[in-house]
Amino acid sequence: MTGRKVLMDFEVTADSHTLAAYRARGGYRALAKALQTMRPRDVTQEVVDSGIQGRGGAAFPAGRKWQGIDPDDGQPHYLIANADEGEPGTFKDRWVLEFDPHALLESMLLASYALGVRHAFVYIRGEYDRPWRRLDAAVEEAYAEGLFGENILGSGFACDLFVFRGAGAYVCGEASSLLGSIEGTRAYPRNRPPRMTVRGLYQAPTVVNNVETLASVAWIVRNGARAFREIGTEKSPGTRLISVSGHIRKPGVYEVELGYSWAKFLHEDCGGLLCNKALKAVIPGGISSAVLTGKDAKVLTAGEVEDLTLDHEKLRAAGSSLGSGGMIVIAEGTCMVRLLQIMLRFYHHESCGQCTPCREGTGWMHRVIDRIVAGQGRPEDIDTLYHVARFNDGTTICGLGDAAGYAATAMLDNFRDEFEYFIEHRHSKFGGNLECR
Amino acid sequence: MPVIFINGEAVETGEHRTVLQAALANGFYVPHFCWHPELSIVGNCRVCVVEQEGRGVNIACNMPVVDGMRVQTDSEPVRAQRKAMLQFILLNHPVDCGICDKAGECTLQDYHYAYNGEPALSQDPKLHSTKFYPLSDRIILDNERCILCSRCVRFTREVSQSNVLGIEYRGDSALVRPAEDRTLDDDPYSDNVIDICPVGALLSRSFLYQARAWYLEPTPSVCPGCARGCTVQLWHRKPEWRVKGLDPRHNTRILRVTPLENPRVNGPWICNKGRDLGGALERPRAEVAMLKGEPVTTTRAIEAARELIRASGRRVALVSSGGSNEELRAFHSALVANFTTFVKPDHLPQDGEVVEDDLLIRADKNPNTRAARSLFGDSPTEISADTELVLVWGEGADFGAFPRGAKIVLLGSWLAPENGYADVFIPLSIQTERRGHYTNFQGVVSAFEPCCWRPDGVIDAETLFPLLAAPPGSTA
Ligand code: SF4
Ligand code: SF4
Ligand code: SF4
Ligand code: FES
């Protein structure tokens, strides 16, 4: 039991994703309540008071983002649910889309009401087929019952929703670049300033929120900000959906109350490591969050990871983050050089190629590590990787360049000996293993 | 007006400016590749970095000025980042400056000297890419040299709006490519991308391997291709780099034409027709005066023309809409009393030519119609049957429409069958051989300068008109 629940508080059945089932568990009551009794600003205030942080990766307070938009400024505003869940290791929003799509839709209606949005979008990654079909069906059900369109629930409030399928590039999930994708240009991340709440989709103020963040809004409005604050920790209220993969017995999507013990989560809820291996490292929130090592855990019973709780403040103090909620568990015996090679291949492949350091740097790092893995490493390669990573940090338009650099530095900082060994002996200390045997 | 401090110096800037604009406008150079004053900001080269007090290093082209902010354009962290960005750019760049047309004008080369100047950090082989990709009959693209600043792409989207260019693929495989089934031939302004490309990736086929940039010097001029009168520079060999033994005309050839930025007329752009001015000026010249097709000295021809003018009754003059302001005035003061005068277009739109658009190109294909009309009116040409003499200045007159028996005095610069048909033909100098001004359709007056020798026997119209007005027998 991973603590109290916000999203997974019902039993998944063959039809629990339908409108009827959603209504039966209290769905769309928050919407009715808001439209009848709350002004738009009250809805935003509720979200501000809940203290919910974005669940997409950056953990920016969602309410503060909403406050960036003045619902009465007479301009068009847009709301986009970012369902382009492309971060490697991350598949938690998929659960919402597949099993609770109406929670997202109701929440988007609430957000649209709060922000003065007439047209809202869901940007869903093309690879998500069943989630898309479920979502699409839910949208149709909602339209059929007058939950979208003109004069919703007789309140005079009007809102339309468009589901937009991405074509499958990682960088399209970057909040500013998916605007380009919707607008029909190349999905290049955009420079800030201006912020998207100033100039976003079609140059209008726009809020882009992660699916899980948005989906929690209905709960918050239904139960009140105070109830939400009672869950989680003081600085990290609420819960997180966490998708666990890697060398773990029970991979899957879990809802975890923030502040939950990591050791308990791994060893009890997720059933412990595969093959009874010891923990070597954990990538806590998708490969773009810095790696945490479990090397102390091998020596001590309570190591770095084992002592931590799952919340933003603890992880930040440990130099990482909950990121996108995609937890990758790595057992002892795994070759970190090979693992970094795979990560760098990914960044190289997915770099949009717009800005100099990421365009050239990701390829550079990838080729260097390829050479090391091919047994052609040179001692100066480690410095080169650091050099490239350093100048990808904070010099790029979006976070992809940074993340590629973090991946390299985190691995080198923590497992430098493996890299040195590989370069010197021209083979891996661990036989190049990535599977746990 | 916000005041910001650049390298400690207080600088007043306009509202809604960026730090890059403020710096450049006040004499602080900040290197940049992707930023261009006429294009949108993309901030992708990451070279224009400055250090803002308290906020670290960031790009200046997308940094709005805020009153009181302090930036350093050349601090240690700034230099380090610029150097790193150049290392990234040069990682897969072929550095084939020795055979690159842009050498001498390449900002990458300049910045490398200024900020990096060290051997490559990577010993690994460079990635190769397409070396000669044809973008049109006029332009080829060297993808290895392209630094993906996207200026060319933005140009075809935002300025010429042909939307021909885009970027394909991702990461370090990204390539500038034309849209499917399109070429830059679809864009009458395409050659501007050659100028704005900061490196030698976009190459002009006509200029390719013709000369190193440092052999050349520009002469300011005005494109005579239409009533816009774009300000241009005509590039030709510097006298000290002329090749001995080469036909002197070859040594003074116009090797390329580029825009000379003029905010009142053409901004920083010109159309492709203007680029072809050099070729147009190489049409075979008429250099010998003629009487009914028989070569004579220019003095003799002038004398003959004078006689004809004196001797004939009804006289009509067709004035060139390509004459300079000075020439038109000279005609007006010397000869207007002797003639019924009409302004004639020397050139009409050709087949396949863009007639007119919203950017620069004008339907009137003559450079000085406005000035000519202001002196000679704009009534349509009428040559009555009793006309005894027609004086034709310039091109484009229909000789077949002249009354039978009327004498013809033709003043022109190019070899043409009409030259031999006229009773008197006098060869005139061309624009590149003289100095003058045109008045464009908006009334903006622009100057052009000479850059070629005037062949012997050829006379400036400005000199000729007073001579034609002088009484017969006076010395030419
Ligand atoms: S950091 Fe990489 S992915 Fe992001 S904009 Fe730059 S090139 Fe594109
Ligand atoms: S071809 Fe030139 S202008 Fe176009 S993107 Fe490449 S470097 Fe920039
Ligand atoms: S727009 Fe007219 S004046 Fe300008 S370059 Fe083209 S032809 Fe010459
Ligand atoms: S000029 Fe600013 S990033 Fe290129």
Side-chain angles (χ1 to χ4, degrees), chain A residues 294-347:
Chain A
K295 59 179 177 225
D296 299 341
K298 269 196 293 187
V299 192
L300 304 165
T301 39
E304 193 176 18
V305 169
E306 314 276 325
D307 260 352
L308 277 172
T309 50
L310 290 162
D311 50 71
H312 298 291
E313 56 271 27
K314 284 276 170 47
L315 276 160
R316 209 167 289 146
S320 190
S321 70
L322 271 179
S324 64
M327 188 182 291
I328 303 171
V329 180
I330 302 158
E332 61 171 351
T334 307
C335 174
M336 297 309 247
V337 183
R338 283 277 287 115
L339 187 59
L340 179 62
Q341 182 192 26
I342 289 171
M343 290 160 81
L344 290 178
R345 181 195 300 157
F346 172 80
Y347 287 118

Side-chain angles (χ1 to χ4, degrees), chain B residues 399-415:
Chain B
F399 281 40
F402 297 166
R404 256 170 190 280
K407 301 282 186 204
I408 301 175
V409 173
L410 176 61
L411 317 176
S413 305
W414 312 104
L415 272 190

Side-chain angles (χ1 to χ4, degrees), chain A residues 171 174 188-190 350-359 362 392 396-402, chain B residues 171:
Chain A
V171 83
E174 200 276 341
Y188 272 153
R190 296 180 183 178
E350 295 295 341
S351 163
C352 81
Q354 190 185 190
C355 52
T356 302
C358 169
R359 181 183 69 238
T362 49
N392 262 302
T396 48
I397 297 177
C398 84
L400 189 146
D402 300 342

Side-chain angles (χ1 to χ4, degrees), chain A residues 169 186 188 191 193 348-357 359-360 363-364 367 371 378 387 391 395-397, chain B residues 42-46 62 64 81 84-85 87-89 91-92 121-122 124 127 147-148 167 169-172:
Chain A
R186 208 178 145 110
Y188 272 153
N191 281 286
H348 179 200
H349 186 255
E350 295 295 341
S351 163
C352 81
Q354 190 185 190
C355 52
T356 302
R359 181 183 69 238
E360 302 296 339
W364 191 352
R367 284 189 292 277
R371 194 159 40 67
R378 307 177 193 128
H387 176 83
F391 282 106
T395 65
T396 48
I397 297 177
Chain B
V42 288
N44 64 29
C45 75
R46 316 306 280 184
N62 194 47
Q81 184 158 331
M85 293 310 123
Q87 284 172 340
F88 285 126
I89 289 174
L91 184 74
N92 290 310
L121 194 59
S122 165
D124 291 321
L127 297 182
I147 64 164
L148 289 157
I167 292 178
Y169 307 118
R170 294 198 292 245
D172 51 14

